[in-house]
Structure formats: structure tokens, C-alpha cells
Amino acid sequence: EPEVTQTPSHQVTQMGQEVILRCVPISNHLYFYWYRQILGQKVEFLVSFYNNEISEKSEIFDDQFSVERPDGSNFTLKIRSTKLEDSAMYFCARLNEDRDRNEQFFGPGTRLTVL
Amino acid sequence: SQQGEEDPQALSIQEGENATMNCSYKTSINNLQWYRQNSGRGLVHLILIRSNEREKHSGRLRVTLDTSKKSSSLLITASRAADTASYFCATAVRTGANNLFFGTGTRLTVIP
């Protein structure tokens, strides 16, 4: 099955700036996830999103983060005021149509660099 | 924390040899999955094994699961240089659309 696509592939921003990372589904999927991977570390769950609402979020996903699907297609992750420690790869994933299998298909990621 | 640990952290083998990576986790699971990540790229789903399964095969991949020991292994047979990547296990703790808990990963290098 095709993966999702993500834009941009690389984002460089100044500390304190807002960034929006985008995930573009290939078809009309309902379940999405955001994960992040700090360089050299494990992949960490941020948030899951179902039918235009947050389904679950981790302790990492604090008030500076938000997700939405503004136009019914693109799925965005917004970081309101970036910190140096937000520098990471951010991956969007969609769920396999067979929910019980919980296979997730990941996008190529956005590398966020906060200066 | 449910997050697992893989060992070894790094593995270097000759092309044609088999590679075995192990994963341990902490709580009960619904299924365990293995993903592959090429350097700087996204994660590619390799194989899923359910908690009631003990072994599964897919091509050159063989996965085992021991729920009593809370561990899994991934065996890649007849390795190729193109298998060079990081391999992660990820656990799902319940059925349905829940998030995955990833392990720390094993960096596999296959020397041609």
C-alpha cells in the first residue's frame, strides 16, 4: 500500500517561531498518527487523530502542539513556539484499512531543525 | 513504560550470513511489529506477529514471539548489502487503532 507524503522534507526555523508540518494522504484515510525521532534516539508517539479529532496523545504532546485537518485532506502538526529540543524527524503515519492489524504506514518524514 | 529494547544495538555481518536481532518489551501486547529504517528515511513496515502466534515468515524474514519472556526476534536469512538499515520493533498493547511503542533499534550493516 502507498505511504503518505509529507511536506516539507526539511524545515529550518528560529527558536520561538511557529512551524506547520504537513501530511498528505494518498486516499481518504481516517486514522493518522504523528511520531517524532530525535537524532539517534527511538521513535516516540506524539498524537493520534481520528475523524477530525484527537484520539490519543502522549505526554510529549503539550500545549505548544496542535493537530488538525483543515481542508479534509491535509493533516497538519503545528508547533507554536519552537524550542531547540524540538529538532527531530517528524513522521506522519496512517493506519492500515484493517484496524485490528494496527499496521501503520509511515511517510518519509520532515526533518525539523530549530536554531 | 512499554517501550522496548533491542539488542544488539549494532550488528555487522558479511553478505550471505544470517542476522538475528532481538527485542524485549515490558507489558502485555496485542501484537508486535518490525520496521526498517534506511538512514534519514521513513519507517517501512516489515512484518506483524500477533500475541497468539509464535512464529511467522515472510520471504527471508522470520519472526518469533515469546510472550512469557516478553521478547521477539527477527532473523534475516542470506543477508544482502541492501539490508543495511536500522531495524525497530514496535508493540501495540491492544486491538484497534492504537499507537505503537518503538524499541531502540538495531543498526545492521551488511558488508558486501
Side-chain angles (χ1 to χ4, degrees):
Chain A
E1 294 188 57
E3 297 174 346
V4 296
T5 60
Q6 291 183 242
T7 60
S9 57
H10 190 189
Q11 174 92 43
V12 181
T13 189
Q14 294 289 327
M15 189 171 58
Q17 295 296 305
E18 174 183 283
V19 295
I20 297 176
L21 312 181
R22 291 182 173 80
C23 175
V24 184
I26 304 300
S27 58
N28 193 24
H29 296 106
L30 294 178
Y31 278 96
F32 293 92
Y33 305 80
W34 282 101
Y35 293 83
R36 80 171 185 190
Q37 184 182 32
I38 296 172
L39 184 64
Q41 298 186 23
K42 63 176 68 175
V43 176
E44 302 173 291
F45 167 72
L46 291 177
V47 64
S48 60
F49 194 78
Y50 168 67
N51 203 24
N52 298 323
E53 289 186 356
I54 290 176
S55 177
E56 193 172 359
K57 59 184 181 179
S58 72
E59 58 191 23
I60 301 170
F61 194 86
D62 61 22
D63 291 345
Q64 71 163 343
F65 290 93
S66 63
V67 289
E68 62 179 5
R69 200 171 187 186
D71 55 8
S73 61
N74 290 358
F75 174 50
T76 63
L77 173 69
K78 182 189 291 185
I79 309 175
R80 290 192 182 85
S81 178
T82 51
K83 305 170 189 171
L84 294 176
E85 53 265 37
D86 293 328
S87 293
M89 284 289 288
Y90 288 82
F91 295 105
C92 172
R94 67 157 183 87
L95 187 67
N96 188 337
E97 295 298 324
D98 180 356
R99 285 177 47 188
D100 287 342
R101 292 182 61 80
N102 200 24
E103 291 168 337
Q104 296 180 21
F105 298 96
F106 284 75
T110 292
R111 180 174 298 281
L112 176 65
T113 302
V114 182
L115 302 175
Chain B
S1 169
Q2 169 62 10
Q3 291 174 332
E5 300 290 329
E6 276 106 325
D7 76 88
Q9 289 188 331
L11 178 63
S12 184
I13 59 173
Q14 294 290 329
E15 199 166 33
E17 294 181 338
N18 295 342
T20 299
M21 290 161 271
N22 303 296
C23 166
S24 61
Y25 56 92
K26 296 179 181 176
T27 67
S28 61
I29 62 171
N30 175 266
N31 65 70
L32 184 144
Q33 305 174 40
W34 284 90
Y35 286 80
R36 164 195 166 125
Q37 183 182 36
N38 285 45
S39 183
R41 306 289 297 274
L43 294 140
V44 176
H45 184 269
L46 296 176
I47 193 166
L48 178 152
I49 186 166
R50 296 182 190 271
S51 59
N52 60 355
E53 298 174 313
R54 292 297 167 258
E55 189 171 310
K56 204 159 183 181
H57 297 253
S58 176
R60 293 185 295 113
L61 304 180
R62 173 178 167 253
V63 170
T64 62
L65 180 64
D66 186 336
T67 53
S68 66
K69 295 181 180 177
K70 293 186 169 59
S71 67
S72 172
S73 67
L74 171 68
L75 168 68
I76 303 174
T77 60
S79 63
R80 305 166 182 168
D83 294 329
T84 295
S86 291
Y87 292 82
F88 295 89
C89 68
T91 54
V93 298
R94 59 187 186 274
T95 59
N98 57 124
N99 57 288
L100 297 173
F101 293 93
F102 282 83
T104 51
T106 293
R107 175 70 190 168
L108 173 67
T109 302
V110 181
I111 302 167

